[in-house]
Structures are given as C-alpha cells and as structure tokens.
Amino acid sequence: MNEKETKGIFVTFEGIDGSGKSTQANSLLRRVQENGFNAVLFREPGGTRISEQIRQILLNTKHTEMVAITEVLLYSAARAQLTEEMVIPGLHENDIVICDRYYDSTTAYQGYGRGINMEFINALTSEAANRIEPDLTFLVDVSVDLAEKRSSTIGKRDRIELESIEFKKKVIEGFREIAENNPNRIVILDGSEDIEQLTDIAWNKIHTLLEKEGIEIAPEGNSESI
Ligand SMILES: Nc1ncnc2c1ncn2[C@@H]1O[C@H](COP(=O)(O)OP(=O)(O)OP(=O)(O)O)[C@@H](O)[C@H]1O
Ligand SMILES: [Mg+2]
C-alpha cells in the first residue's frame, strides 16, 4: 500500500479457480479477528454495487462471444470501483484489508492466459488500482488436476471456470512467474496442504508485518466482513 496516511495493511489471495483462495481468505479473516485486529474481506470481481453487476456480465456462461479486451476492461472497471469505494476507505478504518483476488489475476488470466499485451495490462491494472499495491500476496498454488477436482465438488461452473485445461495451465505458470518476479511481496502457499496449516503460515507472515508497521490491537474491535 503506497498511501502512507492509511493505517491498514493490504493483503491479497491469488490462484486459479478451485485452488482454495476463498477458503484461505475467510480462514485468515477469522484468525486476525480472533487475535483482536479489525479486518474486512472483499471478493473480486465484486464487493460494490457496480462491481457485482460487472461480475454478473463477466461470469455469465452465455457470454461466449466476449472478446479478451472486453474482459480485461471489465475486470479493471470492477477493480477501480472496489478500490475507490472499499479498499482505500477500508485501509483507513481497519488494521487489515483482505481481497480474494486483485490485479495479479488480471496479469495471469488476461496477460499470460489470453495473451493481451503485458505493457498495456500493467498500465491498465496500475490505473484501475489507483497505483495501490498489496503489502502481501498469498499465491495458493495447486496443480490443475487438484483445482479441477475441488471445483467439481462445488457444482455449477462460471464462464472462466469452463475454460480449457490448456488455458488453466498457462494461468498457473503465469502466477508462478509473477511470484518469481515479486519475491518480496508474494508468498507461495502449497494449496495441497491442510487448511489450518496454511492459515498458520499466512497468519505468521501477517503478524510479522503488523509488528513491523507498528499496528497494535485497538482497545475496542469492530471487525466486519461482507
Ligand atoms: N487446503 C485445502 N484442503 C482441502 N480442501 C480444500 C483446501 N482449500 C480449499 N479446499 C476446498 O476446495 C474447494 C475450493 O475451494 P475455494 O472455494 O476456497 O477455492 P477458490 O480458489 O476460491 O475457487 P474459485 O476461484 O472458484 O472461487 C472447496 O470445496 C474447499 O472446501
Ligand atoms: Mg473463491
């Protein structure tokens, strides 16, 4: 997070569909709240009235005609609303803001996956996020096979989840390359491990960062989640 006047730390979860991001994001939210810190959790695309409507357009399985450039612009539009309406205010009011996906997903899916020009993606994602950067990102890394197995237990698949195995492999490789390029920000979690074990690792990292930033438990917590 660049805006020094905000008090909170910004944490994101990334990974392919079915990797276990939402499970970890929720589990971490509970853990930080149990430890007395104020935290909020948002999902991408979504988290605001406009962003949730954009989500419906993006994930509708009937929208097979959607071209890649429309896709990247819509994800970015949803993110711009979420950032202004929720993330920035959230960072002023809370110790921790957690996002279930943020701009690394755009780089992985629309950049590595769909092949959209990376310079364009970088410029667009930076603008859409109002130049805010996550302080810490957890990449929940699993094989395509495991992610497919987990997704199949959930039921109905959205437009992106119906993509080919080949596309998903490109996205996974993309995420791994993004992590290699950002070793100070991105921590890779082995998503095949036990849920609680992964939360222990994530919480340890967060705790260290909170201490480093001098963020302490407020006398009265008012944590919430949407
Ligand atoms: N570490 C884990 N061990 C075993 N099962 C897990 C683990 N993490 C998640 N799961 C299970 O895998 C399924 C997918 O998890 P989850 O919904 O968190 O994935 P996701 O990455 O958020 O997927 P999507 O991108 O589709 O939202 C769920 O049924 C969840 O309970
Ligand atoms: Mg999820």
Side-chain angles (χ1 to χ4, degrees):
M1 177 60 207
N2 275 340
E3 291 189 357
K4 276 292 154 221
E5 69 271 22
T6 61
K7 75 172 189 127
I9 61 169
F10 185 27
V11 179
T12 60
F13 279 88
E14 298 282 3
I16 61 163
D17 304 82
S19 55
K21 298 176 300 297
S22 303
T23 304
Q24 276 313 311
N26 280 292
S27 178
L28 181 69
L29 177 72
R30 275 195 303 277
R31 186 73 67 90
V32 300
Q33 290 176 339
E34 279 163 14
N35 280 277
F37 292 96
N38 297 325
V40 280
L41 166 62
F42 307 115
R43 71 165 178 185
E44 261 222 9
T48 76
R49 190 167 58 148
I50 294 170
S51 310
E52 288 292 334
Q53 288 191 50
I54 296 173
R55 179 186 180 92
Q56 299 304 320
I57 301 171
L58 277 165
L59 301 183
N60 190 332
T61 51
K62 289 185 191 145
H63 293 170
T64 51
E65 72 275 35
M66 189 180 292
V67 294
I69 194 76
T70 304
E71 191 175 281
V72 76
L73 291 171
L74 285 177
Y75 274 111
S76 301
R79 182 167 312 124
Q81 286 302 133
L82 180 73
T83 302
E84 291 304 319
E85 288 186 56
M86 309 305 284
V87 175
I88 293 174
L91 286 165
H92 281 285
E93 290 159 18
N94 294 276
D95 303 312
I96 301 165
V97 171
I98 305 171
C99 262
D100 183 350
R101 291 196 187 280
Y102 204 59
Y103 58 52
D104 294 320
S105 281
T106 301
T107 312
Y109 282 80
Q110 282 74 44
Y112 288 95
R114 303 260 191 244
I116 291 183
N117 180 280
M118 280 297 184
E119 273 179 38
F120 173 70
I121 297 241
N122 291 340
L124 180 65
T125 53
S126 166
E127 286 295 327
N130 201 0
R131 279 166 283 276
I132 281 174
E133 289 171 21
D135 295 295
L136 195 55
T137 296
F138 296 103
L139 171 59
V140 186
D141 192 29
V142 293
S143 65
V144 174
D145 285 352
L146 183 55
E148 287 293 294
K149 219 176 279 170
R150 285 182 181 170
S151 292
S152 65
T153 63
I154 301 172
K156 210 160 166 272
R157 290 174 180 235
D158 64 39
R159 190 177 61 86
I160 306 291
E161 284 164 352
L162 288 170
E163 275 292 342
S164 67
I165 298 290
E166 195 189 319
F167 174 79
K168 289 177 184 173
K169 280 189 176 152
K170 279 195 231 168
V171 174
I172 287 190
E173 288 309 318
F175 272 127
R176 289 174 184 159
E177 209 168 303
I178 296 167
E180 259 173 48
N181 295 338
N182 296 275
N184 295 330
R185 172 170 66 88
I186 303 182
V187 174
I188 299 180
L189 297 177
D190 177 352
S192 65
E193 283 183 27
D194 177 74
I195 293 169
E196 280 301 309
Q197 249 173 295
L198 293 175
T199 308
D200 289 345
I201 298 170
W203 168 241
N204 276 335
K205 294 275 176 196
I206 301 279
H207 199 233
T208 306
L209 192 56
L210 287 167
E211 277 182 349
K212 200 175 130 207
E213 299 286 327
I215 299 171
E216 289 171 3
I217 303 170
E220 283 188 27
N222 65 337
S223 303
E224 53 176 308
S225 137
I226 67 155

